[in-house]
Amino acid sequence: MTFIAKLVTVSKFKNITDKLRSFVYFQSELENVTVKDGDKVAVLQIESTESYFPVFIEEKPSIKQIESKLAQQDTKLNAEARRILLEYLPEK
C-alpha cells in the first residue's frame, strides 16, 4: 500500500504547534539537524495515519531527496504538496 503525504504547513519553527514539534525534534535527531526558532520547516502529514514528516527548508534538500526519503516509507507527495514545496526548494 502506498501512502500519500499532504502539506500541513510551511512555517518558522517557533510557530510550529506543540503537537507537531515532537515530530520535528525526532526528525531533526535522525538527520542530525539543529533547528532554530527562525528556521522554516515544512510539515507533511501521511494521510490515513497519525504520522508527520518534517522537511527542513534551511537545509535546502531537493524535491528528489524528499521524494526518495518518503519512498522508503512507501509514501508519495500529493500534487499540491509537491507544487508548494518546489516554491521553497531546488528541483534537482
Side-chain angles (χ1 to χ4, degrees), residues 1-61:
M1 173 179 190
T2 300
F3 295 97
I4 303 297
K6 67 180 182 178
L7 185 66
V8 175
T9 188
V10 177
S11 181
K12 290 184 179 180
F13 177 66
K14 68 181 178 183
N15 298 327
I16 298 291
T17 64
D18 289 340
K19 176 183 176 183
L20 299 178
R21 276 182 182 251
S22 61
F23 291 95
V24 175
Y25 287 134
F26 179 78
Q27 193 68 28
S28 70
E29 287 291 322
L30 284 179
E31 295 185 21
N32 197 26
V33 172
T34 302
V35 186
K36 299 175 195 86
D37 281 348
D39 291 351
K40 282 191 180 168
V41 179
V43 180
L44 304 167
Q45 180 184 21
I46 312 305
E47 290 185 340
S48 74
T49 74
E50 293 294 319
S51 294
Y52 295 86
F53 185 87
V55 175
F56 303 105
I57 303 293
E58 305 301 321
E59 296 297 310
K60 299 189 186 330

Side-chain angles (χ1 to χ4, degrees), residues 39-87:
D39 291 351
K40 282 191 180 168
V41 179
V43 180
L44 304 167
Q45 180 184 21
I46 312 305
E47 290 185 340
S48 74
T49 74
E50 293 294 319
S51 294
Y52 295 86
F53 185 87
V55 175
F56 303 105
I57 303 293
E58 305 301 321
E59 296 297 310
K60 299 189 186 330
S62 70
I63 196 74
K64 289 183 182 193
Q65 289 171 321
I66 293 167
E67 290 175 325
S68 176
K69 287 179 185 179
L70 288 170
Q72 293 172 7
Q73 300 175 27
D74 294 323
T75 304
K76 292 184 177 184
L77 282 173
N78 73 9
E80 181 182 11
R82 190 175 200 285
R83 180 184 58 77
I84 293 170
L85 285 173
L86 281 171
E87 294 175 16

